[in-house]
Amino acid sequence: MNNIRVFLVDDHPVVRAGLRAMLGDLEGITVVAEAADGGAALAGLARLHTLGEPADVVLMDLQMGAGMDGVTATGRIKAGEAGEPPPPVLILTTYDSDADILAAVEAGASGYMLKDAPPEQIRQAVLSAAAGGTALAPEVAARLMGRIRNPEPALSAREVQLLGLLATGMGNRAIAKQLFISEATVKTHLVHIYGKLGVDNRTAAIAVAAQRRIIRRP
Amino acid sequence: MNNIRVFLVDDHPVVRAGLRAMLGDLEGITVVAEAADGGAALAGLARLHTLGEPADVVLMDLQMGAGMDGVTATGRIKAGEAGEPPPPVLILTTYDSDADILAAVEAGASGYMLKDAPPEQIRQAVLSAAAGGTALAPEVAARLMGRIRNPEPALSAREVQLLGLLATGMGNRAIAKQLFISEATVKTHLVHIYGKLGVDNRTAAIAVAAQRRIIRRP
DNA sequence: GGCGGAATCAACCTTTTGGTTGATCGCAGG
DNA sequence: CCTGCGATCAACCAAAAGGTTGATTCCGCC
């Protein structure tokens, strides 16, 4: 049969119920399983796989940190089962900071939707992902477009990553250890970041980055 | 009939669908209306009231800023319609910062639940609120208990003001000029702030203050 | 194959912060 | 009335951050 089998991953029972109600009523889509965190998700995906009825799409909430691992781990399933492509991962989150989007895309997500999206948009995204395509929320797409259009000096992925750590209040030394690089390198990156953001200290960099939604405010 | 009439307020269609599915199936509870923001909520509540079938409970998401106004505004309905008690407002949110909880309780919310709560807990909270009682999520209750036991040192108004400027990326000198005080005084204030927030540098102070909603980053 | 950009590191120096101690002033509460 | 606390300032030292120069490696691209 031509039914799209969806796996829900979200730590909020309310959200899972909402997605179930929203997607389950639709022709051609079936919610086959759910999980509340990344670990349970991987276990569930493996179980479905051994049962011979793998999920077609993983719809996953992007929680800080834990969610991202889920994406990469899902991608790694492929490595173990050569020939079997891993199910596309569709990110569904509340925030739309550049850092999150870049991290998700880099980790191999095939879509990035916002939770305040209308139901039809989410359905379309699921269908698109299942068909092997990609799906970006209009807001997200607009952000990326503007990023290309504008001569606003683009921060490299590494620089954005650094900004994220910066915003947590870590010192240069702590950041260096976290990223397995030297303090000198951290300082070099910071100088570049300051230049691109038109700023001359770390707090101002955080302020600008938060305002431009380059990083997210927790 | 003895049916509890619930009004849903949440800007996420997904969450609304989830709550509808979760509460609607339950005996004695009916979701009578929904709104995506505070303004629509007030309009909807007024409309239901004039129709003679007012809502018994308002289940409201707490978004930064806008949500809180909704609670106070809902409370103000009472003022206009003397004798008619306003429906109890049950807060349902993702975060559980002290500032949010206190603000909600102070604004007159009769409950504070987290979105990752199990369905049964949310149902109980609705029933409790409808009966005129209060409902706090266990995590929230624990937080408040701990706060009473060892109250966190409160920041003075001046210190909060300084934090605000700090978050804009200003250096000590700039802050001093802005506030017409000396740099030495700025440093003294900062030392106090660091002590109270359990932190040892300005970026971490901003991070903690933002997380506790002591300051707000637009 | 070379060119440029990203990422990495080192050494050096200046400026800014952080931390401490101590002091004065004014105001509110017991 | 005196005690405590917030706000204000000073001087000093140590640590961290900011800025510069220069160098290496690894990419992708023309």
Side-chain angles (χ1 to χ4, degrees):
Chain A
M1 66 183 160
N2 197 7
N3 218 9
I4 298 175
R5 307 166 53 78
V6 178
F7 194 127
L8 298 182
V9 186
D10 199 302
D11 57 338
H12 298 342
V14 181
V15 175
R16 290 204 304 274
L19 291 172
R20 216 185 307 126
M22 188 174 285
L23 298 174
D25 295 343
L26 196 66
E27 281 302 304
I29 294 184
T30 309
V31 176
V32 291
E34 302 179 9
D37 58 74
L42 288 179
L45 282 172
R47 186 172 46 78
L48 287 177
H49 196 269
T50 57
L51 287 176
E53 29 188 67
D56 296 321
V57 178
V58 178
L59 196 50
M60 181 179 282
D61 180 37
L62 186 66
Q63 291 299 85
M64 26 283 164
M68 222 53 262
D69 300 337
V71 180
T72 56
T74 302
R76 241 176 272 125
I77 292 178
K78 171 178 50 182
E81 306 277 347
E84 281 282 355
V89 176
L90 191 57
I91 298 296
L92 182 71
T93 187
T94 305
Y95 305 106
D96 61 340
S97 79
D98 284 8
D100 285 342
I101 299 172
L102 288 178
V105 171
E106 189 177 6
S110 47
Y112 197 100
M113 304 297 297
L114 301 181
K115 277 188 184 170
D116 56 2
E120 190 50 40
Q121 213 174 85
I122 294 180
R123 289 174 187 149
Q124 286 301 327
V126 171
L127 296 177
S128 175
T134 61
L136 285 186
E139 298 91 333
V140 174
R143 168 87 41 82
L144 291 182
M145 291 293 286
R147 197 184 164 91
I148 299 171
R149 219 191 313 276
N150 274 351
E152 270 181 16
L155 293 168
S156 72
R158 190 62 153 174
E159 287 163 350
V160 172
Q161 183 186 20
L162 232 120
L163 262 174
L165 296 178
L166 205 62
T168 68
M170 293 170 72
N172 291 348
R173 188 168 309 163
I175 296 176
K177 281 185 184 171
Q178 176 93 22
L179 298 182
F180 302 107
I181 60 181
S182 81
E183 230 176 301
T185 306
V186 173
K187 291 173 72 170
T188 305
H189 282 311
L190 287 181
V191 170
H192 292 158
I193 292 173
Y194 297 159
K196 289 179 180 176
L197 295 184
V199 125
D200 66 351
N201 69 70
R202 51 178 58 216
T203 33
I206 295 172
V208 171
Q211 193 171 17
R212 291 197 196 167
R213 302 265 204 142
I214 295 171
I215 56 174
R216 133 175 94 189
R217 41 185 182 137
Chain B
M1 62 184 163
N2 198 6
N3 218 10
I4 297 174
R5 308 166 52 78
V6 178
F7 194 124
L8 298 182
V9 185
D10 198 303
D11 57 339
H12 298 341
V14 181
V15 175
R16 289 204 305 273
L19 291 172
R20 214 184 308 128
M22 187 175 285
L23 298 174
D25 296 342
L26 196 66
E27 280 303 302
I29 293 184
T30 309
V31 176
V32 292
E34 302 179 11
D37 58 73
L42 289 180
L45 283 171
R47 186 173 46 79
L48 286 177
H49 196 270
T50 57
L51 287 177
E53 28 188 65
D56 296 321
V57 178
V58 178
L59 196 51
M60 181 179 283
D61 180 38
L62 186 66
Q63 291 299 87
M64 28 284 164
M68 222 53 260
D69 301 337
V71 180
T72 55
T74 302
R76 241 176 273 125
I77 292 178
K78 172 176 52 182
E81 305 278 345
E84 282 282 356
V89 176
L90 191 57
I91 298 297
L92 182 71
T93 189
T94 304
Y95 305 105
D96 60 342
S97 82
D98 289 4
D100 283 344
I101 299 172
L102 290 178
V105 171
E106 190 176 5
S110 46
Y112 197 101
M113 303 297 296
L114 301 181
K115 277 187 184 170
D116 56 1
E120 191 48 39
Q121 213 175 85
I122 295 180
R123 289 176 188 147
Q124 286 301 328
V126 171
L127 296 177
S128 174
T134 61
L136 283 187
E139 299 91 334
V140 174
R143 170 80 52 92
L144 288 181
M145 291 295 285
R147 193 186 166 88
I148 296 172
R149 238 187 297 276
N150 55 329
E152 289 170 12
L155 293 169
S156 73
R158 191 61 153 173
E159 286 162 351
V160 172
Q161 182 186 19
L162 234 123
L163 262 174
L165 296 178
L166 205 61
T168 69
M170 293 170 72
N172 291 348
R173 189 169 308 160
I175 296 176
K177 281 184 183 171
Q178 177 92 23
L179 298 182
F180 303 107
I181 59 181
S182 81
E183 236 177 294
T185 306
V186 173
K187 291 175 69 171
T188 305
H189 283 309
L190 286 181
V191 170
H192 292 159
I193 292 173
Y194 297 158
K196 289 179 180 176
L197 295 185
V199 124
D200 66 350
N201 69 69
R202 52 178 62 220
T203 31
I206 295 172
V208 171
Q211 194 173 16
R212 292 197 196 164
R213 306 288 204 277
I214 296 171
I215 56 174
R216 159 179 42 91
R217 281 199 288 204

